[in-house]
Amino acid sequence: MSDDGREVIETREFVPIPDETKPGWVKTQGGQMSPQYIAYLQQIIAGKVEESGPVPEMDPEIVSMAEELAVIHLPEWLNPLGRKLAEPTVTSMKQAIRVAEYLHKRGWRAHPEHEQIRWLPTPGGMPGPYDTGLHIERNEDGSWPEDPDPERFWDIEAIEVRQLPNGKWGAAHPRGIGFEATTKSEAYAGLVNKIREKIEEATNG
């Protein structure tokens, strides 16, 4: 039992290895720790980390830009002749807030009137930021179309079926769901049923 009443399950002692090339630094399995970082860890252990004070509010335009940069949904990539160069994908950017703040200071701003495409998440689809979703374009009159029919997202023609190393058959849809069965037809039918459930879920809300 520790002095503060907490139960001690196991005690381990780590012996720091001084870095002879840098006075005050310590070697670890993951790299090196500076004297400042060591002092910070000691403050955390002792419960003496000073309050940093209230965090100032950030410009909403910077926050919006950072959200766009943190997770970027890219549509399929076509060359000028219409040949597909890449499938839809999702990428992310580290330090999105820092980059957004920098670009904002450089004068970059969002101009909705120039927006040509929008990304929509898959209805009833895989939760999380790595959903490839679907991109829509403006109508000829400049307005945006209503949300597409869920069957456009869950197109059964996109199902791929292949035999797995264990001998079973696996059916997979690019939107992140699959189904395994002993036969190819069962795997396909099983996934079609799951897609039907997704469509009903999205349609009925």
Side-chain angles (χ1 to χ4, degrees):
M1 189 74 69
S2 65
D3 294 339
D4 59 4
R6 291 179 295 179
E7 182 181 359
V8 178
I9 305 299
E10 183 180 359
T11 302
R12 292 190 179 186
E13 193 170 325
F14 295 89
V15 180
I17 304 174
D19 188 341
E20 298 177 356
T21 63
K22 297 181 179 179
W25 287 62
V26 171
K27 294 180 179 179
T28 68
Q29 290 183 345
Q32 299 172 317
M33 291 193 299
S34 69
Q36 294 83 1
Y37 188 64
I38 295 172
Y40 175 66
L41 292 178
Q42 291 172 339
Q43 288 180 346
I44 293 177
I45 295 171
K48 298 180 180 179
V49 178
E50 297 181 0
E51 292 289 339
S52 59
V55 178
E57 292 187 7
M58 186 166 289
D59 189 316
E61 288 191 354
I62 297 177
V63 174
S64 178
M65 186 184 298
E67 290 174 348
E68 290 285 343
L69 294 175
V71 179
I72 305 171
H73 301 86
L74 298 175
E76 66 178 9
W77 191 19
L78 306 176
N79 68 9
L81 298 178
R83 179 184 176 187
K84 183 183 293 187
L85 301 178
E87 296 287 343
T89 188
V90 182
T91 186
S92 59
M93 176 179 290
K94 295 181 179 179
Q95 302 186 31
I97 282 285
R98 183 178 178 184
V99 174
E101 186 176 23
Y102 168 76
L103 292 176
H104 191 267
K105 291 179 179 178
R106 289 284 308 273
W108 290 82
R109 298 291 187 275
H111 293 276
E113 66 273 17
H114 297 309
E115 187 178 12
Q116 298 178 9
I117 58 175
R118 282 184 178 177
W119 177 82
L120 298 175
T122 301
M126 178 179 62
Y130 295 100
D131 170 24
T132 54
L134 183 71
H135 282 82
I136 59 173
E137 298 181 355
R138 288 181 184 270
N139 295 318
E140 292 184 0
D141 62 1
S143 63
W144 290 99
E146 297 181 3
D147 290 348
D149 187 329
E151 292 198 17
R152 278 191 58 190
F153 288 86
W154 295 104
D155 183 5
I156 61 174
E157 293 185 3
I159 294 177
E160 294 185 359
V161 185
R162 63 184 179 87
Q163 193 164 21
L164 306 175
N166 61 9
K168 291 186 175 182
W169 288 86
H173 193 278
R175 298 207 178 275
I177 61 173
F179 191 88
E180 289 186 17
T182 54
T183 67
K184 184 176 182 179
S185 59
E186 288 175 336
Y188 180 84
L191 185 52
V192 169
N193 286 333
K194 292 182 70 173
I195 288 176
R196 183 183 299 116
E197 292 175 359
K198 291 288 187 181
I199 293 174
E200 290 178 355
E201 177 185 343
T203 302
N204 300 327

